[in-house]
Amino acid sequence: MTEANGPSTQQIVEKVWLSIAERRLRPGVQLKEEQLAGIFAVSRARIRQALTVLERDGLVTIVPNRGAFVSKPSVEEARDVFFVRRTVERCIVERLCKSISKSDLKRLRDHVAKERVANAQDITTDIIKLSGGFHLLLAETVGSDFLFTTMRDLIARSSLITAVYRNTNRFNCGPDEHAEIVDAIAANDAEKAVHLMAHHLDHVESELDLTEIRDLSHDLRAALA
């Protein structure tokens, strides 16, 4: 495969992100440019671009003169991320309850429907992408670039934290709870929507074992297969 028809920078970023979220890449593993270039059949320049994006999202740490490594979130960082998410997502649902269009409600409900299909078919990759995508869609619907960018970063970090500390093999940010949140927003019931979102994030965090970092794969090629 030549670089001309090889994966784009964003596709490489997504592949690495999913490998982390699916628990196939462990924290601390080195992401060697030369090896990644061979795996994806692209130039090292494109790999460097992807690593820069992953560093921005908090998924990769680039150490001068050493290289790039999958980030190792601490227990304190994990708790901080969920604390911030509760604050930001409360703001998001409160604003949506004040004014949301029928077309935006349809987009949210269509998204939840896709989540149900992914869960019914047990497609892990789609489950992970759509679960985080729901929260991003809420932020996008508000129409605030700041809130959307903030949520994008928080979701990326949450994916890493969940991959490291989850005490179950299932990724359970489920469509039922998402659907209830959408129904509360549709009813303009801010108090209920805020309560449901808080409960939902409590549920996700309760499935984390914030005591130790799991020993995940060291094999970069196998993890990205």
Side-chain angles (χ1 to χ4, degrees), residues 32 70 93-94 121 164 193:
K32 298 178 180 179
V70 178
V93 296
E94 283 180 337
Q121 297 178 356
V164 174

Side-chain angles (χ1 to χ4, degrees), residues 37-193:
I39 291 170
F40 290 108
V42 296
S43 69
R44 292 180 66 171
R46 184 171 296 183
I47 294 301
R48 282 192 290 273
Q49 291 173 351
L51 292 175
T52 298
V53 174
L54 288 162
E55 182 185 38
R56 179 203 67 194
D57 290 343
L59 297 177
V60 165
T61 300
I62 297 178
V63 182
N65 302 318
R66 288 190 57 202
F69 301 82
V70 178
S71 297
K72 293 182 178 180
S74 66
V75 168
E76 290 76 14
E77 181 181 345
R79 290 176 174 147
D80 286 345
V81 165
F82 276 92
F83 174 80
V84 174
R85 280 192 64 176
R86 287 182 181 89
T87 303
V88 173
E89 299 203 57
R90 176 190 179 107
C91 174
I92 288 171
V93 296
E94 283 180 337
R95 288 180 61 173
L96 288 177
C97 284
K98 292 178 182 178
S99 176
I100 187 168
S101 67
K102 290 182 179 179
S103 61
D104 283 334
L105 278 172
K106 184 178 185 304
R107 287 179 69 202
L108 290 171
R109 286 183 165 134
D110 287 348
H111 188 97
V112 172
K114 292 177 183 177
E115 288 187 72
R116 292 194 189 283
V117 171
N119 274 265
Q121 297 178 356
D122 199 23
I123 306 173
T124 302
T125 297
D126 287 351
I127 291 171
I128 291 172
K129 289 171 66 177
L130 291 167
S131 294
F134 172 78
H135 295 268
L136 282 176
L137 183 56
L138 288 176
E140 180 185 331
T141 303
V142 171
S144 164
D145 290 340
F146 174 75
L147 286 176
F148 178 79
T149 301
T150 300
M151 276 308 303
R152 182 196 63 199
D153 293 344
L154 287 170
I155 292 300
R157 291 175 186 272
S158 296
S159 296
L160 176 61
I161 289 163
T162 302
V164 174
Y165 292 107
R166 191 166 75 247
N167 59 16
T168 174
N169 286 325
R170 283 197 61 82
F171 189 93
N172 192 5
C173 181
D176 290 341
E177 293 181 5
H178 288 173
E180 291 176 348
I181 292 168
V182 174
D183 287 343
I185 291 172
N188 304 121
D189 189 339
E191 182 178 354
K192 184 175 182 180

